[in-house]
């Protein structure tokens, strides 16, 4: 039976985003974008300070990154903007060579990300174990909370009751209604209270001056020479790797929260395009922002690209049009929002005594290593790499013990058959050579590999060594039972690894 033919109008309706035909979703996305925009402002300013640039540079980056990635990205509802990890990577370049070189590095980093995305770097995410992912999430929650500590030290005493009031509002307001996001209500109420009562507390305006106009595109102010390229390339490549790592991990986290899949390759390329655009607008570059993404997805319930686009758009509108009002927002209100995000992001189930009792020790170790390194370095990408390497080492040690050798000697003593079981790779094959009785075995030896598989050159070299040791004693070895993959690998490498041929 043929599919029904749709009219042009019906096809057009099918292409419309969900939020256009769903007023409730439209309202959720708009309000979520507004909340994220408010939370982005102090964050972008803070990251500008880390990078050593004017606060407007960070705000421009937040605007262009969010708007661009909302169109070209592969993960809907994820927020990308200026981030601390990127700021840390490029700060030395700005300090030593100036803003022009920083902007050039941002553009080149975007090019690297496009190339890496096209080469399929996103597929490496399959090698990130669940224990690393859990550690990543918990470390993220800790970092978000730690980032609020400076806003709670050496401040006027009214800051503390304001933060507490903000948390109470976010906990209890959803019980009254969920039409308006609780963080937005908390920010609005605390701002009105502090302004009306004249309470002197740190505000957004204290962080830095907000921009008064939209950014203008242009080329970086650097000499276009090979020397410039060699200067910025190392920083650009480091920024590309850190940005992709954080973005892909965040995309995977949002996939799990929303129970949907995203196009990681498109996201990788999209991050590159967003950084290229940001560089040409004089921004400091960035990647996915996990805290703001959690506000958007987990706290506010956003699910579409509209919230991401509006977060960037509202950011500029708030700065350019409503700058004086935004400047009066107390930092206590935004601190309360981020503390709530930290609490809801942490995977409390993963550290419950009941869970830890059932979890294998290796899995716990991987999670702890990931958390410890992320918190110690402040770099999520470094922690994820360290956790993944730890997981691979633990796995290799565990699998190495699975290879076993048993022997059966014929009654007449003329032949011995060794049966090898398990997987043969670099970790397990190292012990294989010592499992044979070269001096005591009869003249004919059969090594049966039908219950195993040869995975790498180390295993082929081990088989060559076994043959050589028996040959030194005038004994013949027959290796049988190799599957097709193992046969091809051994035929290609046999004798070439020890120089015997």
């Amino acid at each position: 039976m043929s599919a029904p033919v749709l009219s042009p109008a019906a096809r057009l309706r099918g292409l419309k985003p969900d939020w256009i035909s769903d007023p409730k979703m439209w309202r959720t996305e708009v309000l979520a974008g507004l909340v994220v925009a408010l939370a982005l402002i102090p964050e972008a300013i803070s990251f500008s300070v880390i990078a050593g640039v004017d606060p407007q540079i960070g705000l421009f980056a937040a605007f262009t990154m969010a708007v661009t990635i909302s169109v070209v990205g592969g993960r809907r509802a994820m927020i990308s903007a200026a981030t601390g990890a990127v700021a840390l990577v490029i700060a030395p370049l700005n300090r030593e060579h100036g803003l022009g070189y920083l902007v050039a590095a941002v553009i080149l980093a975007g090019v690297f990300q496009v190339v890496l995305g096209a080469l399929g770097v996103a597929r490496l995410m399959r090698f990130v174990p669940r224990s690393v992912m859990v550690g990543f999430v918990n470390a993220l929650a800790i970092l978000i909370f730690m980032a609020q500590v400076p806003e709670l030290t050496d401040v006027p005493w009214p800051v503390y009751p304001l933060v507490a009031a903000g948390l109470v509002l976010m906990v209890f307001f959803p019980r009254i209604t969920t039409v308006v996001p609780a963080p937005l209500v908390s920010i609005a109420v605390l701002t009105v209270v502090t302004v009306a009562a004249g309470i002197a507390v740190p505000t957004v305006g204290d962080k830095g001056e907000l921009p008064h106009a939209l950014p203008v595109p242009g080329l970086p102010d650097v000499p276009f020479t090979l020397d410039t390229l060699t200067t910025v390339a190392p920083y650009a490549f480091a920024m590309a790797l850190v940005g992709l790592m954080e973005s892909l991990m965040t995309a995977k986290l949002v996939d799990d929260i929303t129970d949907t899949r995203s196009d990681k390759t498109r996201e990788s390329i999209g991050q590159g395009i967003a950084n290229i655009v940001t560089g040409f607008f004089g921004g400091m570059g960035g990647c996915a922002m996990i805290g703001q993404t959690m506000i958007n997805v987990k706290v506010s319930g956003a699910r579409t690209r509209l919230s991401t686009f509006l977060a960037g758009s509202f950011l500029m509108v708030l700065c350019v049009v409503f700058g004086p009002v935004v400047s009066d927002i107390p930092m206590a209100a935004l601190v309360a929002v981020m503390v709530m995000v930290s609490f809801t992001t942490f995977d409390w189930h993963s550290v419950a005594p009941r869970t830890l009792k059932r979890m294998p020790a290796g899995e716990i170790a991987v999670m702890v290593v990931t958390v410890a390194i992320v918190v110690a370095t402040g770099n999520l990408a470094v922690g994820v790499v360290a956790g993944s390497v730890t997981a691979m080492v633990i796995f290799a040690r565990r699998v190495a013990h699975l290879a076993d050798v048993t022997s059966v000697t014929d009654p007449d003593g003329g032949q011995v058959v060794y049966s090898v079981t398990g997987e043969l790779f670099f970790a397990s094959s190292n012990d294989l050579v010592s499992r044979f009785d070269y001096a005591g075995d009869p003249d004919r030896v059969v090594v049966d590999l039908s219950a195993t598989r040869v995975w790498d050159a180390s295993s082929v070299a081990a088989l060559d060594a076994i043959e050589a040791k028996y040959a030194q004693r005038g004994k013949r070895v027959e290796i049988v039972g190799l599957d097709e993959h193992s046969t091809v690998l051994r035929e290609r490498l046999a004798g070439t690894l020890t120089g015997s041929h």
Side-chain angles (χ1 to χ4, degrees):
M1 182 177 178
S2 60
V5 178
L6 297 177
S7 66
R11 286 198 298 269
L12 184 61
R13 284 195 300 272
L15 294 174
K16 287 182 179 179
D18 295 338
W19 54 268
I20 289 181
S21 55
D22 187 344
K24 183 178 179 181
M25 183 178 290
W26 186 88
R27 183 180 63 245
T28 299
E29 300 295 311
V30 172
L31 294 176
L34 181 57
V35 175
V36 172
L38 290 169
L40 274 174
I41 294 173
E43 294 275 298
I45 295 174
S46 298
F47 298 144
S48 300
V49 173
I50 293 173
V53 299
D54 188 279
Q56 298 187 39
I57 303 297
L59 291 166
F60 287 157
F63 163 59
T64 54
M65 286 292 299
V67 169
T68 306
I69 205 67
S70 70
V71 178
V72 300
R75 172 65 258 177
R76 291 181 296 174
M78 192 166 76
I79 305 296
S80 291
T83 60
V86 168
L88 288 170
V89 170
I90 59 178
L93 178 63
N94 178 66
R95 187 167 54 248
E96 295 170 16
H97 298 279
L99 180 61
Y101 281 80
L102 181 150
V103 172
V106 170
I107 295 173
L108 184 58
V111 174
F112 282 145
Q113 288 178 327
V114 171
V115 173
L116 290 170
L119 292 176
V121 70
R123 288 195 290 269
L124 295 176
M125 287 301 296
R126 72 183 66 178
F127 296 107
V128 178
R130 181 187 177 278
S131 51
V132 173
M133 190 69 191
V134 173
F136 167 83
V137 170
N138 290 345
L140 156 69
I142 294 171
L143 286 182
I144 292 174
F145 180 81
M146 289 175 60
Q148 312 314 310
V149 173
E151 305 295 338
L152 297 172
T153 54
D154 298 324
V155 293
W157 70 265
V159 168
Y160 304 108
L162 285 172
V163 171
L167 291 172
V168 169
L169 276 170
M170 283 184 284
V171 170
F172 292 101
F173 186 79
R175 301 183 182 183
I176 301 173
T177 178
T178 57
V179 172
V180 181
L184 183 58
V185 174
S186 178
I187 293 170
V189 169
L190 294 189
T191 302
V192 170
V193 169
T194 53
V195 172
I199 302 174
V201 291
T203 63
V204 170
D206 296 331
K207 287 289 184 179
E209 187 179 357
L210 303 181
H212 303 292
L214 295 175
V216 179
L219 295 174
D221 184 17
V222 294
F224 292 91
T225 62
L226 182 60
D227 183 59
T228 300
L229 179 62
T230 56
T231 300
V232 303
Y235 295 96
F237 192 65
M239 175 185 162
L241 293 179
V242 169
L244 283 181
M245 176 72 74
E246 291 209 20
S247 299
L248 293 175
M249 289 294 289
T250 306
K252 187 174 180 180
L253 178 59
V254 177
D255 289 352
D256 294 340
I257 292 173
T258 61
D259 197 24
T260 58
R261 296 183 63 183
S262 60
D263 187 338
K264 305 299 189 302
T265 297
R266 177 177 173 180
E267 182 61 38
S268 302
I269 296 173
Q271 287 290 328
I273 294 172
N275 273 306
I276 292 171
V277 171
T278 296
F280 281 120
F281 276 92
M284 59 179 276
C287 61
M289 291 194 76
I290 307 166
Q292 273 63 25
T293 297
M294 290 300 99
I295 294 175
N296 196 46
V297 175
K298 201 167 185 178
V299 178
S300 301
R303 292 293 182 270
T304 76
R305 298 177 185 275
L306 178 63
S307 58
T308 306
F309 176 83
L310 290 178
S313 302
F314 283 153
L315 172 66
M316 275 295 101
V317 172
L318 289 169
C319 291
V320 175
V321 181
F322 299 102
V325 176
V326 173
S327 296
D328 287 335
I329 295 175
M331 285 302 301
L334 298 175
V335 168
V337 172
M338 297 312 294
V339 168
M340 179 61 72
V341 169
S342 171
F343 183 84
T344 56
T345 299
F346 196 92
D347 186 351
W348 297 100
H349 175 74
S350 67
V351 295
R354 184 177 180 183
T355 303
L356 294 176
K357 286 180 182 178
R358 298 181 178 182
M359 191 74 67
E363 301 283 312
I364 297 174
V366 170
M367 182 177 69
V368 170
V369 166
T370 304
V371 172
I373 293 182
V374 169
V375 172
T377 64
N379 192 320
L380 290 161
V382 172
V384 169
V385 171
S388 298
V389 170
T390 303
M392 291 176 185
V393 170
I394 292 173
F395 174 76
R397 286 177 58 85
R398 186 182 302 151
V399 176
H401 301 299
L402 297 180
D404 196 18
V405 179
T406 57
S407 62
V408 176
T409 305
D410 283 354
D412 60 2
Q415 172 181 289
V416 62
V417 178
Y418 285 92
S419 295
V420 182
T421 58
E423 302 298 319
L424 290 183
F425 65 112
F426 64 88
S428 59
S429 60
N430 287 334
D431 297 330
L432 186 66
V433 180
S434 62
R435 306 293 293 276
F436 295 82
D437 185 5
Y438 301 102
D441 283 342
D443 292 341
R444 188 168 188 274
V445 178
V446 177
V447 179
D448 184 4
L449 301 178
S450 57
T452 186
R453 188 173 191 182
V454 178
W455 284 103
D456 59 9
S458 297
S459 303
V460 175
L463 296 177
D464 286 351
I466 293 168
E467 286 185 317
K469 287 181 178 293
Y470 276 115
Q472 290 171 0
R473 295 168 173 78
K475 301 176 182 181
R476 184 168 65 88
V477 178
E478 181 183 3
I479 296 178
V480 300
L482 289 168
D483 62 17
E484 183 179 355
H485 171 273
S486 303
T487 300
V488 171
L489 183 63
R490 185 160 189 264
E491 288 177 350
R492 188 167 72 243
L493 298 178
T496 65
L497 302 172
T498 60
S500 58
H501 285 183

